[in-house]
Amino acid sequence: MTSKARGTICGIAAAMSYGCNPFALFLYAMGISVNSVLSYRYGIATLVLGLLMLLRRRPLRITRRQTALTAALGILFAGSSLTLFLSFRLIDAGLASTMLFIYPVLVAVIMALFFGERLRPAVAAAIILAITGVAFLCDNTVIGTGDIRGVLLVMLSSLLYAVYMVIVKVSRIALPADTLTYHVLAWGTVAIVAFSLIAPSEPLQLLHGAAQWGWAIFLALVPTVISIILTNAALRDIGPTPTAILGALEPMTAVLIGTLVFGEAFTPRLATGIAVILTAVILVVAPRPKIHLNRNTHSKP
């Protein structure tokens, strides 16, 4: 198997793994709070990833500056997960996962506004498409029932994740991907547990029985550890742009799970909104066309 084929398979599997987040609805149905679901997800994932790194003799120690930076990243990452999982209670999980996927567009906007990165015409078009797609998803039923709060939570989740990615990019933190991920997850666990102590409406709960522990472990392994490992493999073999494009399978997987497993509605309007958002993301992450100049061509002063 070629590295390109292996990387493509890993990219597809990573996206589909991350798209399994809606299975958290099973724990919600059992009365488990959002904070508890995320605390177990992050905590178990941190332990598993740490054990894997120890077995592979990967570095775990970091500097004080890196500790401060990973703590900030962990808070942002946890905030993004918390707002996304809270939105699952207000709007369909497949819909929420699709709206979350506008984060590449937000990254491009932030880089243009605050770091002087040129806004390409394709990105400008993607912004318009993303807004249009969200408008399609926000149908009259959502707005009329007050569940617009769910839409706002997803938008906040996407913004927090976009800020997280921008900080990783501009800080140029000199850490291997698995070391960075381990510390971000560890700080994310601390942040969610701390938030639970000051948010009595979402208290931490003990899990009971094989079903609750099984779904908690599933969420820690499949959309977290396995997704991260496969994403790193895809980035190594095929690069960031193809990996990002294959990431379009994340919301599609979530929509299928929501529709087939949880009976969520899938209307032509939702299908149109999803298609428009995915088009916007592909415009942002697609490679720029290379311009080949004739060697005899001289640039003008």
Side-chain angles (χ1 to χ4, degrees):
M1 181 182 295
T2 65
S3 61
K4 182 177 181 180
R6 183 175 61 244
T8 300
I9 292 173
C10 287
I12 292 172
M16 295 181 69
S17 297
Y18 190 76
C20 290
N21 273 322
F23 281 113
L25 294 175
F26 280 123
L27 285 171
Y28 293 173
M30 297 176 190
I32 306 300
S33 68
V34 174
N35 288 349
S36 298
V37 171
L38 286 175
S39 294
Y40 285 106
R41 176 191 176 188
Y42 273 52
I44 295 171
T46 302
L47 291 175
V48 172
L49 186 58
L51 179 60
L52 289 175
M53 292 178 65
L54 288 175
L55 292 175
R56 297 171 59 194
R57 298 183 179 179
R58 302 289 293 171
L60 287 175
R61 297 184 62 182
I62 58 177
T63 65
R64 289 185 179 180
R65 176 184 177 278
Q66 291 169 339
T67 298
L69 187 55
T70 54
L73 291 173
I75 293 172
L76 285 170
F77 200 72
S80 179
S81 294
L82 183 62
T83 47
L84 175 64
F85 274 52
L86 283 171
S87 75
F88 287 172
R89 289 184 164 181
L90 299 171
I91 60 177
D92 288 349
L95 171 60
S97 298
T98 301
M99 295 181 64
L100 175 72
F101 204 62
I102 68 168
Y103 69 82
V105 178
L106 296 180
V107 169
V109 172
I110 293 171
M111 293 301 296
L113 290 178
F114 299 102
F115 298 96
E117 191 171 277
R118 188 171 66 88
L119 195 63
R120 294 181 290 131
V123 175
I127 294 170
I128 297 173
L129 284 173
I131 295 172
T132 304
V134 171
F136 269 103
L137 297 179
C138 298
D139 58 20
N140 294 332
T141 301
V142 172
I143 296 175
T145 58
D147 285 353
I148 189 66
R149 294 174 301 164
V151 174
L152 295 176
L153 282 171
V154 180
M155 299 303 292
L156 177 57
S157 176
S158 187
L159 176 61
L160 291 173
Y161 190 59
V163 173
Y164 166 88
M165 294 191 70
V166 168
I167 291 177
V168 171
K169 182 175 182 178
V170 301
S171 66
R172 297 181 180 179
I173 183 170
L175 284 176
D178 49 4
T179 304
L180 173 63
T181 302
Y182 169 80
H183 286 282
V184 167
L185 286 175
W187 280 110
T189 305
V190 173
I192 293 171
V193 171
F195 177 77
S196 302
L197 298 177
I198 61 175
S201 60
E202 293 287 339
L204 286 180
Q205 301 164 277
L206 293 176
L207 298 182
H208 301 283
Q212 291 183 4
W213 277 105
W215 284 118
I217 293 172
F218 174 88
L219 290 172
L221 295 182
V222 177
T224 312
V225 174
I226 292 176
S227 178
I228 290 169
I229 292 173
L230 291 175
T231 298
N232 289 338
L235 288 170
R236 179 193 62 217
D237 289 336
I238 62 176
T241 297
T243 301
I245 293 174
L246 290 174
L249 291 172
E250 293 175 14
M252 295 175 67
T253 301
V255 168
L256 286 175
I257 291 173
T259 303
L260 299 177
V261 179
F262 298 103
E264 295 177 352
F266 188 73
T267 64
R269 180 169 181 149
L270 291 182
T272 302
I274 290 170
V276 171
I277 287 176
L278 294 182
T279 302
V281 173
I282 291 173
L283 278 177
V284 173
V285 301
R288 305 181 191 183
K290 295 182 180 179
I291 301 176
H292 300 282
L293 298 176
N294 190 299
R295 292 186 177 181
N296 295 324
T297 303
H298 299 280
S299 59
K300 295 181 180 180

